[in-house]
Amino acid sequence: MNLDLTEQQTMMRDTARRFFEDEAGPEHVRAIEPARFSAKLWRAATVLGFLGVRVPETKGGLDAGLLDAALLCEEAGRQLAPIPVEDGIAAARLLATVGADALLEGMDKVPVLLGAYEAGGDGAVILHLDGDRILAGDAVLAQGAEAVRAFEAATIERGLLRASWLIGAGVRSLELASDYARERSQFGRPIGSFQAIAHPLANSATDLEAARLLLWRAIWSIAEGTDDAAALPAMLEWWTATSARTAVRRALRTFGGYGLSLEYDVSLYFAAIQHRALIGGDPERQLAEAGDRLWAGVSPALPDAGDPGIDFGFGAKAEALAARVRAFFEAEFTPELRAKAHHGTDGHDPDFHQKLGAAGLLFPDWPSEFGGEDAGGLEITALGRVFEEYRWGRIPVGITNMGAYMTMKFGSPELKAEILPRLRSGEALSCLGFTEPESGSDMYAARTRADRDGDDWIINGQKMFTTGAHLADYVLMLARTDPQQTKHRGLTIFLVPLSLPGVAIQPVHTMQDERTNITFYDNVRIPDRYRLGEVDGGLQVMAAAMSIEHGGEGYHVFHYSLMDAALTWARTPASDGAKPIDDRATRARLAKSATRLALADVLSRRATWAGENGKATRWTGPMAKMFSTEIFVEDGADLVALTAPYSLLHATPALAEIEEKQRQAIGQTIYGGTSEVHRGIIAEQALGLPRAS
């Protein structure tokens, strides 16, 4: 996987940014109002080669890839460039394809556009399809099946580029809103510190970041010829039109009454985004188109994407590990284990867990010095998705892994020798003891005490939601060791054996059909060797622990099972022989879920890739975690409604799973930090808004 732009792509983006900052922008839009087209800007963009960016060099173009053109269009959108640049680029490519050289060469003087609904000034030539003929006005440019396919490909290219324009404009509108929210004060505080302002902006920043990644994924998929390559452009058009319109509404609302004033630039962004997003008609129609392409055999012609430079694949090592896991399950996964499989800890089977340990499939990401295989994050992602194919839960593995990594990083040699071999083999498990009844997501408000007594510590307190404690041998615990220090200090991390006297475990059963626990600690005495890190240095250890948990993949993976169950239902004939998936409206509903699943996927992949390659920001993981869990909830609710009442009645195993996944999804927005916590991080780190007070 690689999401780094090439040197050429970076140069294209930077050149386009300088050009549109100098030649476009809100002041230029106002100067030509009410027109939406600047002939001067069109000529300048043509002369600079922007409109011929996709034209072969033999015909005077730059012969750049589709991603290069998308980067250009995003910069045009940021500055509301009053020219239909995406139409012009797609039209120029089409003219070159069908050999209409005269029109191509004269585009600086006579704009040529794709489609009959975009402004291009007086005298613009509109390309359109009439039966199997491509017409420029009344003149026939090409005819036949190949002409139809060339026009189809150009239309899809235009849609991708328009999506990029909307992303640029939407992101810029959020920047305007964030700047205002930092400066505008109310009740003695910047309004950006109010969650009612910050959290909707954080949602939209995440939505548009997901849109950009899905755009890149669509271009890569076209270049690679993946199975979903034809559907992704339609999915992207729906999502981008919807999310950009939502973003600019939120941005305008941030300005309050001033946002309604035409003097404020955000009003121009509202009008331009509305126009670009809806000029092709209701975006919801794209979901039906996506459904047709995914499940009804519709295969439109796709543009030549060129070499995108980026790569969304997991890579050969990840694919090899996934194949190895699948082979293990095929050999060892008995009918009894299939019946026992469960998304929570109730599905844990000690014998099978130890078999996985013996096969090296519990923790292949561990460093080789501790018995692992040094597998990377993408390899573990691929492994986890195979586990989910068989519905074999990895919660005990995931929470054990956090205790293991903290022991590797902060434990003494003696503790590592005692703990790690047992965890690696599957003989032992660990769990997490962070949350307390009074603190919730504010882990640093912990009241559980650890008092020094010679070479030992005496622990007293209570932990909530210690999932897996009834199975585990150790709990990774945050305890207060110096109550005189401030809240975030005076904390220490321990790996506490749960077999010690004074530990009590009380089950808590949840609406997700999962068991968690309350754990009580009454004068539990542990030797100092179970301490991780420095005394009162728990903040450093917790930061390392949260860097493991604050990503989307561990939560996002369950969404695949929800989608799989929905498709199983849709492909199953009813008593009259009809299949739900044969209905176009049903396919559109399923396409909506497939789109949101794809968006969560690219955010989660990016978070994993960025973490592995030292490119993670403070908001990369929170965006993936927040989006993937919230969208899981939305899809769970939507699919339960789509399949009601039979989903509520658990009429089939697939329908039962849909309903169960809806309940499971709600918990995912709470575990690992609530969505509100992550929105706060995104608002501060991605948008630069002040911390909520």
Side-chain angles (χ1 to χ4, degrees):
M1 186 171 177
N2 171 47
L3 297 182
D4 283 328
L5 296 176
T6 66
E7 183 177 350
Q8 175 182 317
Q9 289 164 342
T10 302
M11 185 181 302
M12 172 65 72
R13 182 196 61 196
D14 294 346
T15 300
R17 178 168 296 181
R18 290 192 297 270
F19 173 79
F20 288 115
E21 284 177 348
D22 291 343
E23 303 295 334
E27 67 277 10
H28 291 81
V29 173
R30 287 193 175 92
I32 65 168
E33 285 184 328
R36 295 184 181 276
F37 179 77
S38 167
K40 178 183 176 182
L41 183 61
W42 179 273
R43 286 193 296 272
T46 306
V47 170
L48 197 58
F50 283 171
L51 298 181
V53 66
R54 294 274 288 144
V55 172
E57 291 181 358
T58 56
K59 296 197 174 185
L62 299 179
D63 201 19
L66 190 49
L67 183 54
D68 300 62
L71 295 169
L72 186 160
C73 288
E74 182 175 342
E75 296 304 323
R78 283 184 60 85
Q79 299 301 326
L80 299 183
I83 55 173
V85 60
E86 71 276 22
D87 268 275
I89 291 172
R93 174 94 176 174
L94 180 59
L95 292 176
T97 300
V98 301
D101 295 347
L103 282 175
L104 180 61
E105 292 169 3
M107 278 188 69
D108 60 326
K109 300 178 181 64
V110 180
V112 181
L113 306 175
L114 190 67
Y117 44 76
E118 185 63 82
D122 294 336
V125 174
I126 306 299
L127 305 181
H128 60 282
L129 196 64
D130 180 17
D132 67 347
R133 301 181 303 166
I134 299 176
L135 301 180
D138 294 328
V140 178
L141 299 184
Q143 185 171 357
E146 287 304 311
V148 172
R149 293 186 66 78
F151 196 89
E152 279 182 346
T155 301
I156 288 176
E157 177 163 339
R158 190 263 309 275
L160 291 167
L161 299 181
R162 179 168 290 162
S164 191
W165 196 100
L166 285 167
I167 291 166
V171 168
R172 181 59 187 149
S173 74
L174 294 178
E175 292 173 355
L176 294 174
S178 299
D179 290 344
Y180 182 81
R182 284 191 294 270
E183 298 169 359
R184 172 71 169 170
S185 292
Q186 193 71 41
F187 308 113
R189 294 163 51 189
I191 64 171
S193 65
F194 299 132
Q195 290 186 357
I197 297 291
H199 285 193
L201 295 180
N203 282 340
S204 280
T206 304
D207 290 348
L208 291 174
E209 186 70 15
R212 180 187 289 118
L213 288 168
L214 190 64
L215 168 67
W216 290 18
R217 166 72 193 278
I219 292 171
W220 173 79
S221 295
I222 291 171
E224 292 292 312
T226 63
D227 291 343
D228 57 358
L232 283 170
M235 296 156 72
L236 174 74
E237 286 193 57
W238 166 72
W239 176 257
T240 308
T242 304
S243 59
R245 291 175 67 216
T246 301
V248 76
R249 287 199 303 270
R250 287 169 172 165
L252 190 147
R253 181 66 180 81
T254 301
F255 284 83
Y258 292 112
L260 305 177
S261 169
L262 296 180
E263 295 179 7
Y264 279 72
D265 290 347
V266 71
S267 67
L268 298 178
Y269 280 84
F270 177 85
I273 288 173
Q274 185 89 340
H275 178 78
R276 236 26 172 254
L278 300 181
I279 197 66
D282 183 359
E284 294 292 316
R285 295 188 304 180
Q286 292 295 330
L287 290 175
E289 185 65 32
D292 291 347
R293 296 177 189 180
L294 285 168
W295 302 298
V298 174
S299 301
L302 299 175
D304 180 356
D307 181 4
I310 57 174
D311 184 356
F312 277 87
F314 287 137
K317 289 184 178 180
E319 291 172 3
L321 180 57
R324 182 173 140 208
V325 177
R326 192 170 286 108
F328 177 87
F329 271 88
E330 287 298 314
E332 301 291 342
F333 206 50
T334 64
E336 292 76 18
L337 288 170
R338 289 181 187 275
K340 186 176 184 179
H342 188 271
H343 60 266
T345 57
D346 287 348
H348 178 70
D349 185 274
D351 291 338
F352 189 66
H353 188 75
Q354 291 189 46
K355 285 185 177 181
L356 285 163
L361 297 178
L362 288 178
F363 309 110
D365 53 319
W366 283 18
S368 54
E369 64 177 297
F370 298 114
E373 300 176 14
D374 297 300
L378 294 173
E379 293 165 65
I380 298 305
T381 295
L383 174 148
R385 294 189 180 188
V386 176
F387 270 68
E388 189 60 21
E389 285 178 27
Y390 291 86
R391 305 300 196 268
W392 194 253
R394 295 185 73 243
I395 290 176
V397 176
I399 54 181
T400 295
N401 211 18
M402 187 177 293
Y405 267 105
M406 294 308 98
T407 301
M408 292 177 202
K409 189 173 180 65
F410 298 102
S412 67
E414 182 183 9
L415 187 63
K416 293 175 187 176
E418 174 188 341
I419 302 292
L420 295 178
R422 299 188 66 212
L423 299 182
R424 180 176 59 81
S425 69
E427 175 191 347
L429 300 170
S430 71
C431 60
L432 306 180
F434 298 154
T435 305
E436 297 189 8
E438 301 298 324
S439 60
S441 293
D442 186 7
M443 294 176 293
Y444 300 108
R447 296 182 180 180
T448 294
R449 291 283 300 273
D451 297 304
R452 194 74 181 252
D453 183 21
D455 292 333
D456 294 341
W457 294 87
I458 309 297
I459 297 176
N460 285 280
Q462 177 182 347
K463 294 292 182 178
M464 290 290 296
F465 306 120
T466 43
T467 299
H470 60 297
L471 304 172
D473 302 87
Y474 306 94
V475 57
L476 185 66
M477 177 186 289
L478 178 69
R480 188 160 298 283
T481 43
D482 187 349
Q484 303 305 314
Q485 295 196 43
T486 58
K487 183 177 76 170
H488 287 73
R489 301 187 183 279
L491 296 165
T492 305
I493 301 288
F494 300 89
L495 194 67
V496 180
L498 287 170
S499 59
L500 293 173
V503 176
I505 300 172
Q506 177 180 315
V508 175
H509 298 284
T510 70
M511 60 176 283
Q512 302 103 293
D513 292 333
E514 293 178 355
R515 171 181 171 167
T516 185
N517 303 282
I518 306 172
T519 48
F520 302 91
Y521 306 89
D522 182 12
N523 290 319
V524 177
R525 178 180 291 271
I526 62 169
D528 184 57
R529 72 173 183 274
Y530 289 104
R531 172 172 50 84
L532 300 178
E534 299 296 325
V535 175
D536 299 334
L539 188 62
Q540 180 185 7
V541 183
M542 283 298 296
M546 290 302 98
S547 69
I548 297 173
E549 190 169 14
H550 284 182
E553 182 59 36
Y555 305 91
H556 162 63
V557 68
F558 300 114
H559 204 154
Y560 287 96
S561 295
L562 172 67
M563 193 71 208
D564 180 62
L567 289 174
T568 297
W569 161 79
R571 289 168 171 149
T572 302
S575 57
D576 61 359
K579 299 177 183 178
I581 205 164
D582 293 334
D583 175 61
R584 196 168 195 244
T586 298
R587 291 199 300 270
R589 289 280 286 278
L590 293 170
K592 179 182 288 188
S593 292
T595 300
R596 296 194 288 207
L597 176 60
L599 290 157
D601 175 73
V602 291
L603 281 170
S604 296
R605 288 190 192 220
R606 194 270 301 272
T608 302
W609 171 81
E612 280 199 323
N613 291 276
K615 299 178 184 295
T617 64
R618 290 284 304 279
W619 44 264
T620 306
M623 274 190 175
K625 197 277 178 181
M626 186 271 289
F627 184 91
S628 61
T629 56
E630 289 291 333
I631 222 70
F632 186 22
V633 171
E634 289 188 27
D635 279 345
D638 189 51
L639 292 173
V640 163
L642 176 64
T643 56
Y646 305 105
S647 53
L648 303 177
L649 302 174
H650 289 197
T652 68
L655 289 166
E657 185 169 18
I658 291 170
E659 193 278 327
E660 290 164 357
K661 281 287 181 285
Q662 176 197 220
R663 287 182 281 119
Q664 182 191 2
I666 297 171
Q668 307 301 305
T669 66
I670 300 169
Y671 306 152
T674 66
S675 294
E676 288 70 26
V677 169
H678 290 291
R679 288 188 185 102
I681 295 171
I682 295 163
E684 294 171 29
Q685 300 298 324
L687 296 174
L689 294 176
R691 180 185 293 272
S693 57

